[in-house]
Amino acid sequence: MMYFSLYAVYVSVIVQPLIVRVLSEISAEGLAGSCEKKGDPSAWSCFEKSWQLPGQSTSTVTTHSDICNIVKIGKISQLEFLDTYAYKEPVVFTNITDNSLFQSLCEKQRLIDDYGHKTVTLSTANTHSYDEVEMKFGEYVERVLRPQDFNKSGQDTLYFFGNHDYSEWGDLFDQYVIPPYELPFKSAALSFGIAGAGTGVPFHFHGPGFAEVIHGSKRWFLLPFENKPHFDPNKTTLRWLLEDYQHVNASEKIYECVLKPGEIIYFPDKWWHATLNVEASVFMSTFLG
């Protein structure tokens, strides 16, 4: 009983105030002035305001909003992609596609007007995403889409990503410009998502693919398959970041990067990765399978 009492004190006195502090420190950093950059893909905050959540006065859940130790490059040839990155390491591409039209179609009110009556399938935000819940998209946006509750496990957090009925979402997906790179004998499949600040998916792995942020920003953490990270599959990425990240062995390099609109990350086959939505975010993944 003493252990649980001490843990409760630790959470209430240290952890929760820390969350409040990092949530409040840089609201101005992400939003100030960006709307003046007309036509600039980085001017995401003009659109991001449409995805600001009720009661969410901040734009991020971490002061490291520009952290990135992954190579960032512009457009390269298909051959260079295959030789340098496809089977070896993650890479972040900048401004290799123009999804400004798709971005405008994904503004909050536009999506509610066009798809609010559609039924979507939500998954639990844990490593295995076993449980699924169906509801109307409009209900998800208005009732479920909220910043991550620190006291909730991944199993108890619902997340909108994938499981789409293409016959209902096809008109929107047809406007998305996929990354211009391919893997031999692989075909592309799109997976669309919208999630609140502080939400994300804990470490997991699957086949290769690309992921692009349309609105907001998302922090990625990646390791090669042979370097399996220590994690609890039901602990949210937010709790892992605040409680476990600082204890990661320095010799165990974590590839990480905060992605913003206009940036696309490529992740090779079977690389462990976890994601954290730094703010309310809209995103699209292109899985190669």
Side-chain angles (χ1 to χ4, degrees), residues 29-241:
E29 176 184 340
L31 296 177
S34 295
C35 284
E36 297 175 3
K37 303 177 184 177
K38 303 300 183 183
D40 185 339
S42 66
W44 47 270
S45 63
C46 301
F47 298 98
E48 170 57 24
K49 289 180 178 178
S50 74
W51 280 103
Q52 198 72 15
L53 301 176
Q56 181 190 353
S57 61
T58 64
S59 65
T60 75
V61 293
T62 170
T63 55
H64 298 110
S65 58
D66 294 318
I67 190 169
C68 192
N69 63 5
I70 301 175
V71 173
K72 283 189 178 186
I73 56 175
K75 197 164 186 177
I76 59 176
S77 69
Q78 169 70 14
L79 181 60
E80 185 177 355
F81 168 68
L82 291 175
D83 287 346
T84 309
Y85 301 106
Y87 307 104
K88 298 177 181 178
E89 63 177 296
V91 61
V92 174
F93 293 101
T94 60
N95 302 322
I96 61 171
T97 58
D98 180 4
N99 272 305
S100 54
L101 172 59
F102 186 76
Q103 186 185 57
S104 68
L105 294 174
C106 290
E107 292 181 47
K108 181 178 179 180
Q109 195 57 51
R110 182 75 175 267
L111 280 181
I112 292 175
D113 291 344
D114 293 345
Y115 298 95
H117 62 289
K118 304 288 188 181
T119 298
V120 295
T121 301
L122 311 180
S123 300
T124 52
N126 57 344
T127 293
H128 305 295
S129 300
Y130 285 141
D131 297 332
E132 296 181 344
V133 175
E134 289 189 348
M135 68 175 57
K136 299 298 183 183
F137 174 69
E139 182 183 4
Y140 168 71
V141 172
E142 299 299 339
R143 186 172 67 84
V144 179
L145 182 65
R146 294 292 184 273
Q148 178 68 52
D149 183 338
F150 181 79
N151 294 311
K152 274 190 174 183
S153 68
Q155 181 69 30
D156 297 323
T157 302
L158 293 176
Y159 201 74
F160 174 48
F161 180 57
N163 291 321
H164 309 299
D165 183 341
Y166 196 87
S167 65
E168 294 189 336
W169 291 83
D171 288 346
L172 176 65
F173 292 178
D174 286 345
Q175 303 306 314
Y176 179 73
V177 180
I178 67 172
Y181 304 109
E182 301 176 343
L183 292 180
F185 312 111
K186 301 287 187 182
S187 57
L190 297 178
S191 193
F192 180 63
I194 301 172
T199 63
V201 179
F203 280 103
H204 62 287
F205 68 87
H206 43 64
F210 301 89
E212 178 174 3
V213 171
I214 308 303
H215 294 293
S217 54
K218 180 188 289 282
R219 187 170 176 178
W220 281 70
F221 307 87
L222 307 98
L223 296 100
F225 180 74
E226 60 272 18
N227 294 343
K228 181 179 179 179
H230 177 74
F231 68 97
D232 179 341
N234 283 319
K235 177 183 281 190
T236 63
T237 307
L238 179 61
R239 287 195 74 146
W240 174 85
L241 176 64

